[in-house]
Amino acid sequence: QVQLVESGGRLVQAGGSLRLSCAASGPTFGNDNMGWFRQILGKEREFVATISANGVLQSYADSVKGRFTISRHNGENTVYLQMNSLRPEDTAIYYCAAGPVFSRELGSYAYWGQGTQVTVSS
């Protein structure tokens, strides 16, 4: 069983930066592909970024490419999402997820955290 706990979300002004963290517990972190997704109230959860188990491959949604960076520290069982040049439309609950394949699809992820709120003011 994998448990994921996100942290780092808060209120920030447009143009600012945040780093989200996702701490994972369980024996398989080094073999899990990790993803970040986000959800605005009343809308579907959407893909943000993903990183392969060995950290070599990353993929980003077009809306965040060039502004967000996903990384992981397998020795610390943690995955990060560095968010720069934040915009009001980035406001959402951000979720961390773990799964067996490198994918941009929600259905590919078996484990999910509870989410952390990011609010970007204009």
Side-chain angles (χ1 to χ4, degrees):
Q1 185 76 10
V2 175
Q3 292 186 324
L4 305 172
V5 179
E6 303 94 337
S7 62
R10 62 177 177 85
L11 173 65
V12 64
Q13 288 190 331
S17 297
L18 278 179
R19 188 176 80 159
L20 304 183
S21 299
C22 173
S25 62
T28 64
F29 181 79
N31 296 323
D32 287 329
N33 296 273
M34 302 297 296
W36 285 98
F37 293 78
R38 65 188 183 186
Q39 188 168 19
I40 301 169
L41 188 64
K43 296 190 176 182
E44 292 186 354
R45 195 169 297 188
E46 65 177 13
F47 167 75
V48 175
T50 183
I51 188 166
S52 60
N54 60 9
V56 172
L57 302 176
Q58 299 98 42
S59 181
Y60 297 91
D62 288 344
S63 59
V64 307
K65 198 173 296 182
R67 300 188 298 123
F68 291 10
T69 303
I70 189 171
S71 61
R72 64 190 297 160
H73 192 310
N74 285 352
E76 296 181 353
N77 280 19
T78 304
V79 64
Y80 303 98
L81 185 68
Q82 177 67 42
M83 305 187 295
N84 298 328
S85 302
L86 283 161
R87 304 167 180 168
E89 54 263 39
D90 294 318
T91 295
I93 300 174
Y94 283 72
Y95 296 90
C96 173
V101 297
F102 181 70
S103 172
R104 300 160 64 103
E105 301 298 324
L106 274 73
S108 298
Y109 292 85
Y111 301 100
W112 292 83
Q114 293 300 306
T116 185
Q117 176 71 49
V118 172
T119 304
V120 184
S121 64
S122 58

